[in-house]
Amino acid sequence: MKSFTNANPRDVAHAVALSAQAHGANRSVSFAGGGSDLLALVKDRIVAPDVIVNLKTVKGLDQVAAAPGGLTVGALVTLDALDRHPVVRRDHAALAEAAGSVATPQIRNVGTIGGNICQRPWCWYYRNGFPCLKNGGNTCFSANGENQFHAIFGGGPSYIVHPSDTAPALVALDATFRVVGPAGERMVPAAEFFILPRDDAKRENVLAPDEILASVHVPAARRGTRSTYHKILDREAWTHAVVSAAIVLELEGGVCRLARIVLGGVAPVPWRVPEAERVLVGQRITPELAAQAGEAAVSGARPLAKNGYKVPLTRNLVRRTLVELAARA
Ligand SMILES: Cc1cc2nc3c(=O)[nH]c(=O)nc-3n(C[C@H](O)[C@H](O)[C@H](O)COP(=O)(O)OP(=O)(O)OC[C@H]3O[C@@H](n4cnc5c(N)ncnc54)[C@H](O)[C@@H]3O)c2cc1C
């Protein structure tokens, strides 16, 4: 592992300044939350920062603040704390369930929401040091290679899938991210934070150098709203979603007034399926309607040679999740 300097900021502005200062001196920089992803990348020499800006020393970023307008979740709040937070569980179940589905209790204890959203892809070509698009090369080896776990939507030129469990939940819950950088701060809707490889194949989100994700705002749940997150794994624990679905429904007298369905594990960004949402709005959710929505959810799928199995998996996951969520008291 290459040696690096640890920088301990006092606050968010100081973190940004330390990063900009290091870049100004031609030194490479990474931000660290819990370090559960970053340090493995450093050990495996996939990234080699000269400076690690350790966000854990920033005071106050590990708080969840509940107000009438919604929740503000600091970037350092751990996945375990989110999973156990009573207001998150009551009003934004999709987020609590997504956080609780990540990896293992040990990783959820150190892993932060900021790091979860900003984690790098888990494509085996990238993680094994192939000179792929994510490693500074100009080829995506999964396009014609081992693509069992890759994208069936939105792929090209890279076919990674976005690995975060909380990201689909946050898009479905209509969250907004507070991003802080040298030029000040900006609020970015979660739905616009993640970027497709066709727009920039080297990165997964809109963060510029020296910018950090400081907090997440989740708007208050409207009356009649319920949400959930379901995840399919290729083994029972320790791993990312093969396919997942975050669903938010607003029901009034049993009729669906609003639906947001966002898929994980199937695209380079959390993948919203408005075709499926349209099937539901204005209707009572029956098993037959849920099956139609599942069908609509995969209508735009473009599987690769070895991941066609994700199409029926996604169709059935959407159907089952809708039936279960609509039946919840
Ligand atoms: C065995 C194993 C299984 C895993 N399974 C899952 C899983 O099932 N689901 C899942 O979603 N994840 C999984 N992960 C990935 C990851 O460890 C967790 O998602 C964790 O939440 C990452 O948080 P962290 O704070 O440790 O991130 P870090 O390792 O600190 O950071 C991750 C990345 O985000 C950047 N970063 C961190 N915080 C910020 C910030 N505030 N602003 C800007 N950039 C930032 C870092 O520079 C780094 O590139 C797994 C990891 C391992 C090792």
Side-chain angles (χ1 to χ4, degrees):
M1 170 157 108
K2 175 176 164 285
S3 64
F4 56 83
T5 306
N6 203 37
N8 291 322
R10 293 182 293 279
D11 52 33
V12 173
H14 191 207
V16 168
L18 286 171
S19 174
Q21 200 180 323
H23 278 136
N26 254 339
R27 304 182 79 203
S28 57
V29 184
S30 293
F31 292 112
S36 64
D37 176 23
L38 179 70
L39 292 181
L41 287 172
V42 173
K43 279 190 208 150
D44 292 342
R45 296 172 188 268
I46 306 300
V47 296
D50 297 311
V51 178
I52 291 186
V53 178
N54 171 23
L55 298 175
K56 283 275 183 180
T57 57
V58 174
K59 300 255 180 318
L61 274 193
D62 58 352
Q63 302 297 313
V64 178
L71 283 184
T72 300
V73 181
L76 292 179
V77 172
T78 64
L79 299 167
D80 179 64
L82 265 183
D83 177 25
R84 291 194 288 117
H85 196 283
V87 179
V88 181
R89 290 177 81 94
R90 188 194 63 206
D91 293 349
H92 311 288
L95 180 57
E97 292 171 15
S101 80
V102 172
T104 60
Q106 291 87 342
I107 290 173
R108 294 195 293 276
N109 268 324
V110 294
T112 64
I113 181 81
N116 188 262
I117 294 166
C118 298
Q119 63 182 290
R120 299 304 317 276
W122 286 72
C123 169
W124 41 42
Y125 290 107
Y126 170 62
R127 296 269 163 174
N128 283 299
F130 280 70
C132 67
L133 285 164
K134 297 292 179 186
N135 270 329
N138 50 24
T139 307
C140 176
F141 294 95
S142 68
N144 299 307
E146 295 303 320
N147 50 39
Q148 289 88 330
F149 293 116
H150 291 75
I152 59 170
F153 297 100
S158 159
Y159 290 85
I160 62 134
V161 291
H162 201 280
S164 166
D165 279 305
T166 61
L170 291 166
V171 174
L173 292 165
D174 205 19
T176 307
F177 296 164
R178 184 166 71 95
V179 169
V180 181
E185 67 176 62
R186 59 195 173 114
M187 298 301 291
V188 182
E192 294 168 22
F193 181 78
F194 304 96
I195 48 181
L196 281 167
R198 74 172 78 109
D199 296 322
D200 186 346
K202 309 275 179 214
R203 57 195 185 131
E204 295 80 50
N205 59 53
V206 299
L207 288 180
D210 308 325
E211 277 192 327
I212 66 169
L213 171 56
S215 59
V216 170
H217 179 74
V218 185
R222 286 165 37 152
R223 230 180 114 102
T225 299
R226 55 187 71 190
S227 70
T228 193
Y229 182 76
H230 283 194
K231 171 175 176 181
I232 294 175
L233 309 176
D234 68 333
R235 53 183 192 264
E236 282 200 350
W238 287 73
T239 192
H240 294 85
V242 174
V243 176
S244 68
I247 302 188
V248 175
L249 295 176
E250 193 183 313
L251 301 178
E252 195 184 307
V255 174
C256 176
R257 294 289 171 221
L258 177 146
R260 279 197 223 95
I261 305 179
V262 184
L263 304 174
V266 291
V269 297
W271 193 256
R272 191 164 172 188
V273 279
E275 307 85 336
E277 296 167 3
R278 280 195 290 273
V279 169
L280 304 171
V281 174
Q283 309 290 329
R284 286 180 185 277
I285 299 180
T286 60
E288 295 71 29
L289 193 77
Q292 279 176 40
E295 201 59 62
V298 294
S299 56
R302 300 283 175 270
L304 299 163
K306 297 182 181 177
N307 66 4
Y309 74 95
K310 283 194 178 188
V311 175
L313 214 51
T314 305
R315 181 196 297 128
N316 284 316
L317 180 65
V318 169
R319 176 184 59 74
R320 280 199 287 118
T321 308
L322 278 170
V323 169
E324 188 272 328
L325 183 59
R328 266 190 202 181

